[in-house]
Amino acid sequence: IGRRYTIAISMFSSAAAMMALSQARTLPTILVLAFVVAMVSELYRPAATALIGDLVQPEQRLAAFGMYRFAINLGFAIGPATAGFLADRSFFYLFAGDAVTSFVYGIVALVALPHGVRSSGKDEKPAEGVRVALRDRRFVFFLAATLFLTLVEFQVHSTFPLHIAKLGYAPTIYGVLISINGVMIVLFELLITSWTQRFPPQPLIALGYSLTGIGYAMTGIADSVPFLAFTVTIWTLGEMTWAPVTGAYVTGLAPERYRGRYMGLWHSTFSLGMLLGPFLGTLLYAKSPAALWITCLAVGLVAAALALVKPKVKAGVA
C-alpha cells in the first residue's frame, strides 16, 4: 500500500486508540488498549525509515537519517515539558494532545508525503521478503549486533536509575543526567554526522557500540554526579556515532523492493532488546551490580565485533 498509506493508517489508528485508552478504567481494559496503542503507533516506523531510503541518494542517506533523528530528539526535548503543563490541568489533555498530534501527522502524510517504493504481492511468495533478509548474512550479523547493543542501551531506564538511587541521590539527579543525553544530541549530533559520513558505516557502528558498552560499564565505578555525567557523555557519544549510521546502513543492505521488510526486522530486533534488556539487567543487578556493569562492557564489545563482520557472499546468494 506504500509508505504514505502505512504511515497515515498508523497515525489515525493511534489517535483513535489513544482516545479509547483515555476512557479505560479497569486494569484489563488498560492493558489491552495500551497494547493496541503500542502496536498501531509503531506501525509507522519501518515505513518512515524506508521512505527516507526511497527519497534520498545513497551519498545523502547518512545526513538524512541524522536530520530525522534530530527531529525526533527535538520532540523528546519538548515533549516532557509539554506533558507536565497539560497534566497540571487534566490528564485527559495528555491523551487528547497525543491523539491530535498523531492525527495531524496522518493528514501531513496523506497530503505531503509520496508513496515511496511499492511492489505487488502477486509477484511474491508468502514471507519471501523475510526469507531474503534472513539469507543476507551481513544483515543477520547486524541484527545480532543490534540485539546485543539494545540489551546495554536500555539499562538507561532500569538499572541506571536504580544505581543512582543506591548512591543516595534524588530522582531529580536522574532527570538531570538524562537531559545531558538529549541536549548533546540536539546540539552536536548533526555536526558529528557531517564528519562521520565520509567513513564506511561498519567501523562507525562498531565504534559507537563500543563506546556505549564502555560508558555503561563505567557507571559501576561512578560515585559522584560529575563522574556519572561523564559516563552519560561517553555513551551519548556512542549513540551519536552509531544511531544515524545504522538506518543508512540497513537501507544500503536492503534490495529496493524489500526495504520495508528489512526495516521492520531491524526495528523488531530493537524492540526485542528493549523488552529483554531491563528484565535481564535488573535480574543481574539484584545479584551483583558489579557483574551487571562488567557484562555491559562485554556485551557492548560483542555487539561491536558482530557489527564488523563481513561474511563472504556466495555467487547468486543475497
Side-chain angles (χ1 to χ4, degrees):
I1 63 173
R3 326 295 195 204
R4 178 170 71 182
Y5 288 150
T6 301
I7 294 171
I9 289 170
S10 175
M11 290 299 102
F12 292 145
S13 301
S14 177
M18 189 61 73
M19 292 305 296
L21 182 60
S22 73
Q23 302 304 308
R25 295 294 181 268
T26 65
L27 182 59
T29 306
I30 291 171
L31 291 174
V32 170
L33 288 174
F35 176 83
V36 172
V37 167
M39 181 177 66
V40 297
S41 65
E42 288 296 311
L43 283 176
Y44 91 95
R45 199 179 296 273
T49 49
L51 182 58
I52 294 173
D54 296 343
L55 296 178
V56 300
Q57 297 300 314
E59 63 272 15
Q60 300 170 325
R61 284 174 184 159
L62 185 53
F65 278 100
M67 294 176 69
Y68 176 68
R69 285 242 326 149
F70 176 80
I72 290 175
N73 284 291
L74 195 59
F76 279 138
I78 298 170
T82 306
F85 175 80
L86 294 174
D88 282 343
R89 284 144 184 83
S90 170
F91 273 98
F92 173 76
Y93 292 159
L94 287 175
F95 295 93
D98 190 291
V100 167
T101 53
S102 297
F103 185 82
V104 171
Y105 186 4
I107 295 295
V108 170
L110 288 179
V111 171
L113 296 184
H115 281 295
V117 174
R118 289 190 287 183
S119 58
S120 173
K122 298 177 183 178
D123 304 326
E124 185 177 317
K125 297 177 182 178
E128 181 182 344
V130 174
R131 288 198 296 270
V132 169
L134 295 181
R135 287 199 300 266
D136 186 336
R137 295 178 62 194
R138 185 174 295 192
F139 182 59
V140 170
F141 275 107
F142 174 71
L143 290 182
T146 297
L147 179 60
F148 279 101
L149 180 277
T150 51
L151 293 177
V152 178
E153 177 82 4
F154 289 107
Q155 300 309 310
V156 68
H157 302 305
S158 53
T159 53
F160 186 58
L162 288 176
H163 181 72
I164 292 170
K166 185 179 180 181
L167 292 175
Y169 295 115
T172 52
I173 296 299
Y174 173 71
V176 170
L177 291 169
I178 293 302
S179 70
I180 294 172
N181 172 260
V183 170
M184 285 183 63
I185 288 173
V186 169
L187 292 180
F188 302 119
E189 184 167 290
L190 285 178
L191 293 174
I192 291 176
T193 301
S194 67
W195 177 73
T196 57
Q197 62 185 349
R198 68 191 72 179
F199 300 105
Q202 285 183 273
L204 287 174
I205 295 170
L207 174 61
Y209 286 5
S210 298
L211 288 173
T212 300
I214 292 168
Y216 279 97
M218 292 176 66
T219 304
I221 58 174
D223 55 1
S224 66
V225 172
F227 200 168
L228 288 166
F230 177 70
T231 68
V232 172
T233 300
I234 296 298
W235 55 255
T236 299
L237 285 172
E239 181 183 353
M240 291 191 293
T241 302
W242 64 256
V245 181
T246 48
Y249 180 62
V250 174
T251 301
L253 290 178
E256 185 178 83
R257 66 174 292 149
Y258 297 132
R259 192 170 285 154
R261 256 61 67 86
Y262 272 63
M263 289 294 181
L265 285 168
W266 175 42
H267 288 298
S268 296
T269 303
F270 211 89
S271 296
L272 180 61
M274 187 188 301
L275 176 69
L276 294 176
F279 173 70
L280 296 175
T282 49
L283 283 180
L284 186 55
Y285 187 83
K287 296 181 180 297
S288 171
L292 169 70
W293 305 121
I294 293 171
T295 301
C296 284
L297 175 61
V299 172
L301 294 179
V302 169
L306 289 170
L308 284 172
V309 173
K310 295 182 179 180
K312 294 181 179 179
V313 179
K314 296 180 181 179
V317 178

